[in-house]
Amino acid sequence: AILRCTVDNSVTRVAWLNRSTILYTGKDKWSIDSRVVLLSNTRTLYSIEIQNVDVFDEGPYTCSVQTNNEPKTSKVHLIVQVPPRIIEISSNIAVNEGNNISLTCRAEGRPEPTINWRHLSPKAEGYMSEDEYLEITGITREQSGQYECSASNEVAAPDIRTVKVTVNYPPYISDAKNTGVTLGQKGILQCNASAVPSAAFYWYKEDKRLTEEHKRVRVETKDTFSRLTFFNVSEQDYGNYTCVAINTMGRTNASVILYEETTAALTPLKGPGAVHDGNKASEMA
């Protein structure tokens, strides 16, 4: 910050003061602050500079002039502006669907920053909150994702931080279709499920669990689906299969049928399998 004081030939003495503390008088430095330096001491201009200004430098400054006739003063008030800076923000959080959450974002700066929260989602519209707190009641799985806190004032670009919100929910089987396969051909049954945390999948035929140990059937499981592959379908492979999806939030199951498809079949048995809410059912073994 540069403080300037205009003078003329009538001036005999001149000084800069901060409140009642003398910083400079003429070319003599009284301040012990190394950041305060004399810039100009001419017949027309007397100026000093405060380097690396901080908020503690804010306040009144006085240029005191002694002339042949009388003393004069010129006052200026230094206002220190500070860019916005987020000093505290909530940590990433995992919450069960239906619960309430509260996110906090605090910032400092001069002028005092304005704080806004928004959900970084294609479906989100506008700001969710225009203060440091964001409250969400009965959170849903669609409300998971990144939440952005923006602190802004007139001084500089906004300071932006994000919080990741993970919403846990029980498995939901979205796709499990009956499949027709000709005898001796390759057949595939697939079960797709969404869940957080990711679901574990289990396949059963009647009460018997199918595992990797079955030589004629391959069980392949990823984060969102499980697949049964029959390499050479026999008569004993046809029938009803149950896909069970389980995580810490609950369980569900779907029935799918592997049926024999013949060229004579006029209306093949197709369509979605039956999906059941297995949260209250006992786990198959």
Side-chain angles (χ1 to χ4, degrees):
I2 298 176
L3 307 178
R4 296 180 177 88
C5 184
T6 302
V7 295
D8 56 31
N9 291 332
S10 65
V11 173
T12 57
R13 294 183 64 185
V14 63
W16 269 108
L17 297 85
N18 176 210
R19 296 180 174 87
S20 60
T21 302
I22 298 175
L23 303 177
Y24 261 94
T25 176
K27 60 182 180 181
D28 296 325
K29 183 176 181 178
W30 286 44
S31 173
I32 61 172
D33 191 337
S34 61
R35 298 176 304 125
V36 180
V37 296
L38 180 65
L39 281 187
S40 178
N41 183 19
T42 68
R43 291 183 179 182
T44 58
L45 182 65
Y46 186 62
S47 62
I48 62 172
E49 181 180 19
I50 304 173
Q51 300 172 338
N52 301 319
V53 171
D54 63 33
V55 293
F56 300 106
D57 296 317
E58 185 166 299
Y61 289 80
T62 303
C63 177
S64 177
V65 175
Q66 180 68 45
T67 67
N68 295 327
N69 298 322
E70 58 182 326
K72 296 180 180 179
T73 59
S74 177
K75 295 185 178 181
V76 62
H77 193 91
L78 179 63
I79 298 174
V80 179
Q81 295 183 317
V82 180
R85 184 172 71 93
I86 294 173
I87 57 175
E88 180 185 343
I89 191 166
S90 298
S91 301
N92 295 338
I93 184 174
V95 61
N96 293 345
E97 189 172 40
N99 287 355
N100 305 331
I101 68 167
S102 177
L103 302 180
T104 303
C105 180
R106 294 189 176 94
E108 63 182 10
R110 290 193 179 195
E112 184 176 347
T114 298
I115 295 178
N116 291 298
W117 279 101
R118 68 187 182 109
H119 185 197
L120 299 181
S121 166
K123 297 180 180 179
E125 296 182 1
Y127 293 119
M128 298 184 64
S129 172
E130 296 186 2
D131 62 33
E132 61 187 37
Y133 299 105
L134 173 60
E135 308 279 348
I136 301 178
T137 303
I139 195 167
T140 66
R141 64 193 69 178
E142 290 79 15
Q143 291 175 300
S144 64
Q146 297 284 344
Y147 285 79
E148 178 187 272
C149 171
S150 172
S152 59
N153 63 13
E154 303 166 355
V155 180
D159 190 18
I160 295 173
R161 301 271 295 277
T162 59
V163 177
K164 182 180 180 182
V165 175
T166 301
V167 179
N168 299 323
Y169 59 92
Y172 168 74
I173 295 178
S174 56
D175 189 21
K177 294 181 179 179
N178 300 326
T179 302
V181 180
T182 304
L183 195 66
Q185 298 299 309
K186 180 180 178 180
I188 295 176
L189 294 178
Q190 184 163 314
C191 177
N192 296 356
S194 60
V196 176
S198 296
F201 292 89
Y202 302 94
W203 284 96
Y204 295 86
K205 186 179 184 186
E206 298 175 349
D207 291 335
K208 186 177 181 181
R209 180 180 164 189
L210 305 178
T211 66
E212 297 283 356
E213 297 176 358
H214 286 74
K215 296 180 180 179
R216 300 177 59 256
V217 180
R218 183 176 68 187
V219 181
E220 179 187 4
T221 299
K222 302 293 184 181
D223 287 342
T224 59
F225 73 88
S226 185
R227 181 184 297 147
L228 275 184
T229 302
F230 303 84
F231 296 101
N232 185 7
V233 173
S234 64
E235 288 284 355
Q236 65 184 28
D237 293 324
Y238 295 127
N240 186 62
Y241 291 80
T242 302
C243 169
V244 180
I246 302 174
N247 71 359
T248 54
M249 297 293 295
R251 59 179 287 159
T252 188
N253 62 74
S255 296
V256 289
I257 298 173
L258 182 70
Y259 61 90
E260 183 176 4
E261 189 175 62
T262 63
T263 54
L266 297 177
T267 308
L269 179 60
K270 293 185 178 180
V275 178
H276 308 287
D277 181 3
N279 288 327
K280 298 180 182 179
S282 60
E283 183 177 351
M284 297 181 182

